[in-house]
Amino acid sequence: MFSLSNPVLQEIKELTEANRSKLIIYIALYVRDDITVEAEAPYQVFNHSRLLNEPKYFSDHIHLVTSGKMVAPAAFIKDLNSLRMEK
């Protein structure tokens, strides 16, 4: 379980809100690591750590090959668009 209770993140969140922005934390894709974020995290989190589970999409445990690079941005855009729809 990954906790987002870092006081610096709270300062960044306050700064973004003061500037009428929104803090979004992006957790990139990993072939071996499953990062679980607390359900009640005080920040918007796009957790794509296990978006692709097959090693064929990675050249090592953190770097994507071309086919993986096509999936990651599409998933990010989808999540970003879902935020826009909530407003």
Side-chain angles (χ1 to χ4, degrees), residues 65-79:
V65 297
T66 302
S67 57
K69 290 177 185 177
M70 296 173 73
V71 173
F76 183 85
I77 290 168
K78 181 179 177 186
D79 284 351

Side-chain angles (χ1 to χ4, degrees), residues 10-25:
Q10 182 60 36
E11 290 179 32
I12 294 170
K13 181 181 181 199
E14 291 170 6
L15 178 64
T16 57
E17 288 174 352
N19 288 291
R20 297 183 303 175
S21 296
K22 185 172 186 168
L23 174 62
I24 299 172
I25 297 173

Side-chain angles (χ1 to χ4, degrees), residues 45-58:
V45 179
F46 294 169
N47 184 359
H48 292 171
S49 62
R50 298 305 291 159
L51 183 66
L52 297 173
N53 298 320
E54 297 179 49
K56 70 180 184 179
Y57 293 108
F58 296 84

Side-chain angles (χ1 to χ4, degrees), residues 1-14 23-28 35-48:
M1 179 78 59
F2 178 68
S3 175
L4 296 173
S5 59
N6 185 322
V8 174
L9 285 176
Q10 182 60 36
E11 290 179 32
I12 294 170
K13 181 181 181 199
E14 291 170 6
L23 174 62
I24 299 172
I25 297 173
Y26 175 72
I27 301 173
I35 299 172
T36 305
V37 178
E38 296 173 357
E40 297 177 17
Y43 313 100
Q44 180 67 47
V45 179
F46 294 169
N47 184 359
H48 292 171

